[in-house]
Amino acid sequence: MHRTRMSVLRSFTALPAAVGLAVMVASCAPPAAEAPADREVLADQPGSAAPGSTAPASPVASTTPPGWQTFTTADESLSFDYPSSWSIRDEAGKAALEGEFVDVLNSEGKQMAALRTNVVTGQVCTAKSPYLAFDAVPIQALAEPGAADSLPPRFVFEGRGDVTALDPLPPTVAAYGITTVPEPSGDVACPIFQLFLWPPSGALFGQAYNPAVNATPGDTGLPYLEKAKIYMGTPEYQDIRTMITSLRPAMK
């Protein structure tokens, strides 16, 4: 069955409200016929993927952490490890869906991350805002063949916006996931864009940080981005980080 490409907007708006990724919709748009001048910050930099390059990476063996399980998507293209106390909600096979549509829930039924495929990649940088980097690690298993001279996709936990804001209202937002956008070089950056190339177009694995979902210790009255920074030190975040960075081409 032929799968048609979906726009970034369609992909994100298809997610349930609990995912918390809607904030990225307002920040990202499908690539235009001609990129505006601001978009040059994304092009021709180390680590940026070649347009239209969607060849899959080779399968990579992985050691599943003790007490964890491995999930493989219905199309047998991607695998990742997750804690045994967590669960998978797999919507693959529904007629209205084009691509994989997987949610990972913790033991309390709260969503920790969403995996989506058949998402069109491409970013238009409409405006820049203050940039915060909490965490980053390369994911070599997702590097594309022949791309040895460029940076592989990487897991990031990053923020944008007003460090004094109490609530995640655009442009203030934090999110964790996989990106191929080069790391910003200054104190300001384009909106968060956490997608990576995966046939037939692209994919995402992550979600926006939400203190109501992501259990964060400390004073509930702290600014939103300060809570995100604190969350990085929690066991729950470490499990999320281990899970997302375990994403790899499935062994067949």
Side-chain angles (χ1 to χ4, degrees), residues 36-51:
D38 281 350
R39 191 175 175 181
E40 65 184 5
V41 301
L42 305 175
D44 300 323
Q45 297 190 35
S48 58

Side-chain angles (χ1 to χ4, degrees), residues 82-96:
Y82 67 101
S84 296
S85 60
W86 294 7
S87 60
I88 300 293
R89 182 168 57 209
D90 187 359
E91 302 291 341
K94 289 192 175 182

Side-chain angles (χ1 to χ4, degrees), residues 129-135 157-163 187 189 225-226:
S129 57
Y131 162 71
L132 294 174
F134 301 121
D135 195 9
F157 185 24
E158 57 187 334
R160 300 286 191 279
D162 182 1
V163 295
D187 296 332
L225 290 175
E226 182 65 23

Side-chain angles (χ1 to χ4, degrees), residues 92-235:
K94 289 192 175 182
L97 303 178
E98 299 170 332
E100 299 304 306
F101 210 86
V102 176
D103 299 326
V104 185
L105 313 178
N106 68 7
S107 58
E108 298 177 354
K110 295 181 178 181
Q111 186 165 297
M112 298 288 96
L115 172 64
R116 306 288 186 262
T117 64
N118 202 29
V119 179
V120 171
T121 61
Q123 180 187 29
V124 175
C125 187
T126 54
K128 295 183 179 182
S129 57
Y131 162 71
L132 294 174
F134 301 121
D135 195 9
V137 59
I139 306 179
Q140 193 64 46
L142 296 177
E144 297 200 38
D149 294 332
S150 63
L151 296 174
R154 66 191 189 282
F155 167 84
V156 295
F157 185 24
E158 57 187 334
R160 300 286 191 279
D162 182 1
V163 295
T164 67
L166 297 179
D167 300 306
L169 299 174
T172 301
V173 63
Y176 49 79
I178 301 173
T179 186
T180 55
V181 174
E183 183 178 358
S185 58
D187 296 332
V188 296
C190 296
I192 291 176
F193 188 77
Q194 294 179 353
L195 294 175
F196 62 97
L197 293 177
W198 190 257
S201 47
L204 67 89
F205 192 21
Q207 71 179 26
Y209 165 72
N210 179 356
V213 174
N214 304 102
T216 307
D219 183 358
T220 57
L222 288 173
Y224 167 75
L225 290 175
E226 182 65 23
K227 291 178 185 176
K229 183 178 179 180
I230 293 172
Y231 181 66
M232 188 176 64
T234 65

Side-chain angles (χ1 to χ4, degrees), residues 38-83:
D38 281 350
R39 191 175 175 181
E40 65 184 5
V41 301
L42 305 175
D44 300 323
Q45 297 190 35
S48 58
S53 175
T54 57
S58 300
V60 176
S62 177
T63 301
T64 303
W68 285 43
Q69 302 182 68
T70 298
F71 173 81
T72 299
T73 56
D75 64 0
E76 299 184 331
S77 66
L78 288 166
S79 294
F80 64 85
D81 305 322
Y82 67 101

